[in-house]
Amino acid sequence: AQSVTQPDIHITVSEGASLELRCNYSYGATPYLFWYVQSPGQGLQLLLKYFSGDTLVQGIKGFEAEFKRSQSSFNLRKPSVHWSDAAEYFCAVGLPGYSTLTFGKGTMLLVSP
Amino acid sequence: DGGITQSPKYLFRKEGQNVTLSCEQNLNHDAMYWYRQDPGQGLRLIYYSQIVNDFQKGDIAEGYSVSREKKESFPLTVTSAQKNPTAFYLCASSIPRGGGDNEQFFGPGTRLTVL
């Protein structure tokens, strides 16, 4: 079955430290890949997306993600986390021929002082 | 400013009552979606519509109904048949592209509490 996995339910990072959130997918073809962020009680905001080309994608708020076909992964990174980055992060995939996205269950990021 | 509005932000209803959640967009998007969000469950698709007067069931459509009479509006009714209606509901829209490029834009959500 097709799926999107975010293995970490919660991650705690010290302010100023680097961050990597993991996302793996299981699809036969290379999907379209997205990362969204959700602050508590709010809607989702797109951070970045990958369709093709350069496998390192830059997004908003200093985030980047790297697509690795061999590992079926699309991990989100940030070199230095700020307290305002505390939120829930969702990875999502879109497939050709489908008009919907499939979301992972999310990773909650906590930032410690 | 273009965007998606959901109203109200908080909604309280008694058990056994139907309730309708509003979703309006002025992005001129053809496709609209309803998701339900519960802690630890991620986003689960309830219904989606790619064009006016047409919609499809998502993964958890039981106990919900929708209509799409106008391009900009996609209201969701939570019926009394929905066993656990208390949740956070998110509406989204997109320009439907068959290639998988379905970047979705989200509203701020409605938190429904059934007492």
Side-chain angles (χ1 to χ4, degrees), chain A residues 51-72:
Chain A
F51 297 148
S52 64
D54 191 345
T55 56
L56 186 62
V57 180
Q58 301 298 319
I60 63 171
K61 305 186 180 188
F63 285 91
E64 65 179 26
E66 185 172 13
F67 170 64
K68 292 186 176 180
R69 185 190 306 273
S70 61
Q71 298 177 19
S72 298

Side-chain angles (χ1 to χ4, degrees), chain B residues 19-41:
Chain B
V19 59
T20 297
L21 281 60
S22 168
C23 177
E24 303 278 332
Q25 55 100 358
N26 60 5
L27 299 169
N28 200 33
H29 287 170
D30 285 310
M32 297 187 73
Y33 310 81
W34 273 106
Y35 294 92
R36 170 180 172 139
Q37 189 175 23
D38 298 282
Q41 301 271 351

Side-chain angles (χ1 to χ4, degrees), chain A residues 9 32 34 36 38 40-46 49 51 88 90 93-101 103-106, chain B residues 9 33 35 37 40-43 45 48 50 88 90 94 96-109 111:
Chain A
I9 298 173
Y32 291 82
F34 306 83
Y36 285 87
Q38 183 183 33
Q42 303 296 318
L44 276 68
Q45 180 184 21
L46 181 71
K49 57 188 178 184
F51 297 148
E88 190 157 23
F90 292 92
V93 302
L95 287 176
Y98 291 81
S99 54
T100 61
L101 296 179
F103 287 83
K105 291 188 184 295
Chain B
K9 179 77 173 171
Y33 310 81
Y35 294 92
Q37 189 175 23
Q41 301 271 351
L43 277 69
L45 183 65
Y48 65 101
Q50 292 187 272
F88 190 56
L90 287 162
S94 74
R97 298 189 180 99
D101 172 8
N102 294 317
E103 177 184 344
Q104 293 181 11
F105 296 79
F106 284 81
R111 184 165 298 282

Side-chain angles (χ1 to χ4, degrees), chain A residues 37-39 45-47 58-64 77-80 82 84-85 87 89:
Chain A
V37 61
Q38 183 183 33
S39 297
Q45 180 184 21
L46 181 71
L47 285 174
Q58 301 298 319
I60 63 171
K61 305 186 180 188
F63 285 91
E64 65 179 26
R77 302 195 295 242
K78 187 170 185 179
S80 178
H82 187 262
S84 60
D85 293 323
Y89 292 80

Side-chain angles (χ1 to χ4, degrees), chain B residues 62-99:
Chain B
E62 185 175 350
Y64 300 96
S65 66
V66 293
S67 62
R68 186 85 187 276
E69 297 176 1
K70 298 186 296 183
K71 185 176 184 178
E72 58 270 22
S73 178
F74 191 40
L76 173 74
T77 296
V78 184
T79 75
S80 56
Q82 169 49 233
K83 292 183 174 29
N84 287 307
T86 295
F88 190 56
Y89 291 87
L90 287 162
C91 179
S93 71
S94 74
I95 300 171
R97 298 189 180 99

